[in-house]
Amino acid sequence: MPATETLNLAMMLAESGIIDNAVNELMTRPQLLMAAESNPDIKTAMKNQIIKWRGHIHKRMPSVSVEEQFKREIELYQEACQWEPEYFIEQVDSVVKQLEGHSSFYFKARSLLERESQKHNPMFQSYFCNQWYEYLSKALIDAQQSELEQHKEKLLADLYQRIETMQHMQEVTEAGDEKKAGRLWDMAKARLTKTDVSSLKTMAAFLKKNSGLQEIAEKLGRMASEVDDPDKERVRSEDLKMVEERSDNVTDDIVGVHESDDLSKLLPNEAMFLAYPELEVVFYKHLVDKRLMNYRVQGAQRKLRRVKAYKRQTKQVEQDKGPFIVCIDASGSMNGFPEQCAKALAYGLMQIALAEDRDCYVIMFSTQQITYELTKQDGLREVLNFLSYSFHGGTDLGPVLDQSIELMSNEKYKNADLIVLSDFIAPSQPDEMMKRIQKLKQQRNRFHAVNLSKYGNPELMTIFDHCWSYHPSKLGRLFKWK
């Protein structure tokens, strides 16, 4: 074989079809087919993972298999093909010795050399190199096939693990959540124990019982798309609205007495004129002159009117939704019901992030900060670690706001929602912090607060665009858990 053709030997072998055969074999596995048919998003996520694996193997096999095992032999083969016939005869014994213990062609090469008469045949070099190429090609394919099987077994183990985890998650996630399945597949690398599943089910049940927390999470999820475009001018518009107006014809309240000719609102003493014939003419004269004493009534009447107002030309802006950054106060004062509420709300926001293809970060803060990325690969393990965290220490809001501001200054966190879950029993923040937050607000980042206590510092609430307060009574808590 000409030496120039050998330069692409490894690549030709990688494209020999064994990778495509492996992919086809994976696609027809019964367990994988059943999982794919159970949900279209799982099918897409599984297919994408296998395609990505195929591309990785295509790049890896030529380089790793060849460079680590066959690099020297291929170089020696290329040199031998280019030698002059006389020089080849002189060096062939040395070449065979170099193959000993490293090449499957070694024994075949020795048998060829044992026939002394063949060395002087003009075609010996060509025949020898062709035989060498056949053995080298087969050895490369066998090595790549062996390496491919190892990678395939690892991929199968990962796929089966994800299927098992998704089956566990079906016990936790309610039906109708198919849109989250694709993201959950990416996070499902973690192996879930019965205790893990029980923990997730408990948190999901708590969130469902406390519907107020779920409503807050849903409102937070909509905030990113409810942004007026500051680049659009405000224009005058008219809308039909139902308005209330004061009217004397609506008998809601008696507000006094006045002269009129309304017989339905006549004072009783005015009717006494009709009891005496000589006074009856006085009654009719007062009626014609509208001087009969009547009750004055007043009330509110609803009418449909056109109301003029100024608003922007477009109410909503088409833009990518940024991540959730959930800062949870992990101080000792949050122990008990507030801690459960904070974890449940973060869990609900993670569900929304999965459905909307957003990221979700949780920063636990007290005397230090611990960050969990709930929507990353192996994110379910992060979720479980976050849910098992015990609250202790004191409230130190400043450092976590500093860290969050640094994150939101990055382009990745554009249009992000920062949510602070705390009892807000902490001192007010300095003016410099307020200025940095105001700058981020101008870049369409939003700051939200969920107060889980009655005793929070009201001045801290002025930092945020939207504030919610959630601290049901003890009786209400007991009712929710029935």
Side-chain angles (χ1 to χ4, degrees), residues 199-218:
S199 177
L200 290 171
K201 289 174 71 174
T202 300
M203 190 53 58
F206 182 87
L207 185 61
K208 184 177 180 181
K209 297 286 185 182
N210 290 269
S211 57
L213 292 173
Q214 185 65 50
E215 289 174 9
I216 292 173
E218 290 172 357

Side-chain angles (χ1 to χ4, degrees), residues 99-218:
L99 297 178
E100 186 175 3
H102 302 288
S103 172
S104 60
F105 180 60
Y106 171 70
F107 293 103
K108 177 65 175 178
R110 279 189 56 185
S111 67
L112 291 175
L113 290 182
E114 287 173 357
R115 306 171 189 174
E116 290 287 337
S117 59
Q118 289 192 9
K119 286 186 180 181
H120 304 286
N121 189 322
M123 300 299 296
F124 178 71
Q125 181 182 6
S126 176
Y127 180 74
F128 184 93
C129 289
N130 283 335
Q131 289 292 304
W132 193 356
Y133 176 82
E134 295 296 332
Y135 275 83
L136 186 55
S137 299
K138 186 177 184 305
L140 273 168
I141 292 175
D142 290 344
Q144 291 182 336
Q145 184 73 53
S146 176
E147 184 178 340
L148 180 64
E149 286 299 319
Q150 295 176 23
H151 288 292
K152 188 173 75 173
E153 290 303 317
K154 289 181 181 179
L155 176 63
L156 277 173
D158 182 43
L159 293 173
Y160 290 150
Q161 173 59 60
R162 291 176 192 267
I163 291 172
E164 181 183 349
T165 301
M166 291 297 290
Q167 289 172 346
H168 286 312
M169 288 303 295
Q170 287 178 1
E171 304 173 25
V172 179
T173 306
E174 295 184 10
D177 285 339
E178 286 85 359
K179 56 188 177 181
K180 303 174 186 174
R183 293 288 302 279
L184 274 175
W185 176 269
D186 295 334
M187 297 165 56
K189 192 174 182 179
R191 181 183 295 275
L192 300 184
T193 65
K194 290 183 178 180
T195 304
D196 295 334
V197 175
S198 176
S199 177
L200 290 171
K201 289 174 71 174
T202 300
M203 190 53 58
F206 182 87
L207 185 61
K208 184 177 180 181
K209 297 286 185 182
N210 290 269
S211 57
L213 292 173
Q214 185 65 50
E215 289 174 9
I216 292 173
E218 290 172 357

